[in-house]
Amino acid sequence: KTDGSPVVKLGDGTPYDLSADGKSVLAVVASTPPQVVIYPTGAGEPRHLDGGGLENVESAQWFPNGDSILICGNEPATATRFYVQDLAGGPPRAVTPPGTNSGKLSPDGKLVLAKGPDAKYSRYSLSGGEPRSIPWLSEFERLICWTADGRSVLVSSDAMIPSRVERVDLETGRRTLFKEIVPPDR
């Protein structure tokens, strides 16, 4: 809490996402194999999900409805890709081709914007079909998040000071400055 009360440890692992209702944290515990865990932020027991043979997990995100999660990871001898895991049960199922990573789920939960095997950004539909290239995003930019309307994304280039956070329209490529992050002494 932000009221000055003491910190409460929820559990081990790297936290990746907070559920929309704020009641659960999605975390990955580094182990062999890695464990995807849902920790309650209040009373309750942690829930360990079926890893489905993943040997590595790079990230995990909640779907907007809270019924599923999006995992970026890989199975043995396979490049990273994105998987959807239904929280009602079962192992994760692959939804993007091998070699995809560094992605974010769209606000409506229908698309993943991610770097493909060529290190360029594309939109991948979770219902299938061919990816759609986003040529105005550079492979050197870091994807921060989608905007709430799903029309744009925020990106930054960590290699520059000041770091410019820009809003990029996904249809037109139009860029606008969102925020400039700069240390007090340049």
Side-chain angles (χ1 to χ4, degrees), residues 2-175:
T2 58
D3 62 4
S5 58
V7 173
V8 176
K9 181 178 178 175
L10 300 178
D12 295 327
T14 302
Y16 281 101
D17 205 2
L18 180 66
S19 63
D21 62 8
K23 294 182 178 179
S24 301
V25 171
L26 192 54
V28 176
V29 177
S31 60
T32 305
Q35 297 174 29
V36 178
V37 183
I38 298 172
Y39 291 112
T41 57
E45 293 296 317
R47 181 174 171 198
H48 296 259
L49 303 179
D50 177 358
L54 295 179
E55 75 172 3
N56 181 44
V57 175
E58 290 185 1
S59 66
Q61 301 168 56
W62 290 100
F63 270 75
N65 62 12
D67 293 340
S68 303
I69 60 171
L70 182 72
I71 298 170
C72 182
N74 67 285
E75 297 171 80
T78 307
T80 60
R81 64 185 343 173
F82 286 90
Y83 298 81
V84 171
Q85 186 160 18
D86 187 342
L87 298 183
R93 64 180 169 79
V95 293
T96 63
T100 51
N101 60 53
S102 303
K104 297 287 182 184
L105 186 63
S106 64
D108 63 7
K110 295 179 180 179
L111 303 168
V112 176
L113 179 59
K115 286 184 182 179
D118 59 359
K120 296 184 188 308
Y121 281 102
S122 292
R123 278 191 278 201
Y124 296 86
S125 171
L126 297 181
S127 61
E130 289 298 311
R132 184 172 169 205
S133 176
I134 307 296
W136 30 82
L137 293 180
S138 163
E139 63 189 272
F140 302 107
E141 291 179 302
R142 183 172 58 91
L143 179 59
I144 299 170
C145 66
W146 289 72
T147 57
D149 64 7
R151 295 181 186 172
S152 303
V153 291
L154 298 181
V155 298
S156 72
S157 175
D158 295 334
M160 299 172 55
I161 296 178
S163 179
R164 291 176 52 92
V165 176
E166 296 179 317
R167 179 188 314 260
V168 181
D169 184 297
L170 293 173
E171 293 302 319
T172 66
R174 182 173 178 259
R175 290 175 176 260

